[in-house]
C-alpha cells in the first residue's frame, strides 16, 4: 500500500536562520521559510522544536506550530524568532504545504553548532546573512 502513495519530493524550499540586528550587547535572529519555486505554496504548516544535550543533560524546548496561508513564488515568510541559546541544540522545522491538491512535507534540522559565522552565506530572497538548509 505504501508503494501506491505518490512520491511528492520537496524541492526549492529552504529554511533559513537570518541575523536581523546586531549590537554590542546582543544579536537578533529570525527563522524564515523561503519559496524558491516558480509557483506559490499554500496552507503551509510548520512545527518547530529544539532538542539535544546541554551541560550534560537532555533538553527539549516547547513544540511550536505556525500556519501561513500562502507564500508566493520567490518570496519568504517569517516563521519565528530564535534565541542564540538554542544554537547548541538540534533545531527542527517540519514543513508541510500544498501545491494544488498535492501535499508535500519535509523535516529540516539545524544541527548543534551549525549556526556559526563560518557557515554564513548571503541568503537568497532575504538579502541577509545567515545559514540555510535546502
Amino acid at each position: 500500500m505504501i508503494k501506491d502513495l505518490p512520491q511528492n519530493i520537496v524541492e526549492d524550499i529552504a529554511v533559513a536562520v537570518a541575523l536581523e540586528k546586531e549590537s554590542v550587547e546582543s544579536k537578533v535572529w529570525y527563522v524564515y521559510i523561503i519559496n524558491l519555486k516558480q509557483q506559490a505554496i499554500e496552507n503551509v504548516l510548520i512545527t518547530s522544536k529544539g532538542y539535544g544535550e546541554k551541560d550534560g543533560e537532555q533538553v527539549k524546548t516547547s513544540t511550536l506550530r505556525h500556519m501561513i496561508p500562502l507564500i508566493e513564488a520567490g518570496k519568504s515568510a517569517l516563521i519565528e524568532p530564535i534565541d542564540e541559546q538554542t544554537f547548541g541544540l538540534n533545531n527542527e522545522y517540519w514543513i508541510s504545504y500544498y501545491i494544488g491538491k498535492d501535499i508535500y512535507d519535509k523535516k529540516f534540522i539545524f544541527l548543534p553548532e551549525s549556526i556559526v559565522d563560518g557557515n554564513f552565506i548571503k541568503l537568497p530572497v532575504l538579502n541577509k546573512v545567515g545559514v540555510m538548509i535546502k
Side-chain angles (χ1 to χ4, degrees):
M1 289 221 218
I2 290 179
K3 65 179 173 48
D4 297 327
L5 294 174
Q7 293 289 327
N8 294 341
I9 297 177
V10 173
E11 294 178 325
D12 299 326
I13 298 294
V15 175
V17 176
L19 178 60
E20 290 292 316
K21 297 178 193 166
E22 187 173 11
S23 68
V24 176
E25 303 88 38
S26 66
K27 295 179 180 178
V28 177
W29 300 88
Y30 287 144
V31 182
Y32 291 90
I33 180 171
I34 303 172
N35 181 5
L36 300 167
K37 293 181 168 299
Q38 298 298 315
Q39 62 197 91
I41 59 175
E42 299 177 303
N43 298 321
V44 182
L45 179 63
I46 304 160
T47 59
S48 64
K49 65 181 177 181
Y51 55 89
E53 191 173 304
K54 189 166 187 168
D55 301 326
E57 293 187 30
Q58 289 298 313
V59 177
K60 279 172 98 173
T61 67
S62 299
T63 298
L64 302 176
R65 291 171 182 81
H66 309 277
M67 196 334 185
I68 303 166
L70 178 72
I71 305 174
E72 295 289 344
K75 301 289 183 183
S76 66
L78 175 66
I79 297 174
E80 63 188 12
I82 187 169
D83 191 321
E84 273 186 293
Q85 293 181 359
T86 65
F87 289 176
L89 301 174
N90 293 298
N91 287 285
E92 177 183 297
Y93 296 87
W94 195 331
I95 312 286
S96 297
Y97 62 90
Y98 284 87
I99 296 176
K101 292 184 179 188
D102 294 325
I103 189 168
Y104 297 79
D105 71 331
K106 182 176 179 178
K107 198 180 296 186
F108 297 83
I109 301 174
F110 291 92
L111 297 174
E113 308 304 334
S114 63
I115 306 169
V116 294
D117 291 350
N119 293 336
F120 282 6
I121 61 169
K122 184 169 183 175
L123 300 168
V125 179
L126 297 172
N127 293 320
K128 300 175 184 187
V129 296
V131 177
M132 181 175 81
I133 299 175
K134 197 171 159 187

